[in-house]
Amino acid sequence: MKFRSIYVKAIIGLMLLSSFFGMTSLGFGIYSPQFHFIMYAKPLEEPLAPGMTDVPINFTLINANGFTLTNVNITGFSVYPFQLINYYNNTQNISILQWSPGQAISVIYYYNIENTASQGVYNISVKVSGPIGLYGHFHKTLNSSVAILATLEPQCRQYGVLPHLLNLWHLGTTTFQ
């Protein structure tokens, strides 16, 4: 009887201990909640084409959590075929002091589009990070899709014709000498 009660206590203790560690991915008894964000990306110049430079892309991020986040960092980075332009002194890192639930934040990053890209839909990403409790930290990569719909004619690239003038050229309303 005594052996059986020790056995039952050991099993209950292990179950409680395993459920505690199942909730704590950060250790030290700090619970790590799942973070949820909504993000979409919209180029401010369209259509996008390979070889374009300094293309502004607007990222809209929404805090879909049920709690306020503080000291959040948003960071742009390069993902083929989008190459983030060089920012002075890491100014591509944006800090948000307080981000309320449901609040939308818009961030614009500038990209160069690789010459080797073809028409299609590509992922583009930003990183969101911030503190959890006293000692923890979260990192989340958010993805959205952006379409590259046009291709620059080789002659136009050679002479530096702006991509938005290509539409006029194809319609026959503009000639280039």
Side-chain angles (χ1 to χ4, degrees), residues 105-143:
I105 294 174
S106 290
V107 178
I108 296 175
Y109 288 111
Y110 288 83
Y111 292 88
N112 295 331
I113 300 175
E114 293 284 338
N115 290 328
T116 58
S118 59
Q119 291 185 15
V121 178
Y122 294 90
N123 279 338
I124 192 164
S125 307
V126 296
K127 289 182 184 175
V128 178
S129 62
I132 302 172
L134 296 175
Y135 303 107
H137 207 75
F138 76 91
H139 298 274
K140 186 135 182 159
T141 300
L142 306 179
N143 299 303

Side-chain angles (χ1 to χ4, degrees), residues 3 9 12 31 45 53 61 65 84 116 134 138 155 171:
F3 176 74
K9 288 179 185 178
I12 291 173
Y31 174 67
E45 294 179 12
T53 59
L61 295 91
N65 298 291
L84 188 68
T116 58
L134 296 175
F138 76 91
Q155 311 90 311
L171 292 174

Side-chain angles (χ1 to χ4, degrees), residues 12-27:
I12 291 173
L14 286 174
M15 288 174 51
L16 290 174
L17 193 60
S18 67
S19 67
F20 171 76
F21 283 111
M23 290 189 322
T24 57
S25 63
L26 297 177

Side-chain angles (χ1 to χ4, degrees), residues 82-101:
F82 303 100
Q83 295 299 316
L84 188 68
I85 65 166
N86 291 326
Y87 280 81
Y88 175 75
N89 204 16
N90 287 330
T91 54
Q92 76 273 12
N93 299 321
I94 298 181
S95 297
I96 309 298
L97 295 179
Q98 188 171 8
W99 194 4
S100 301

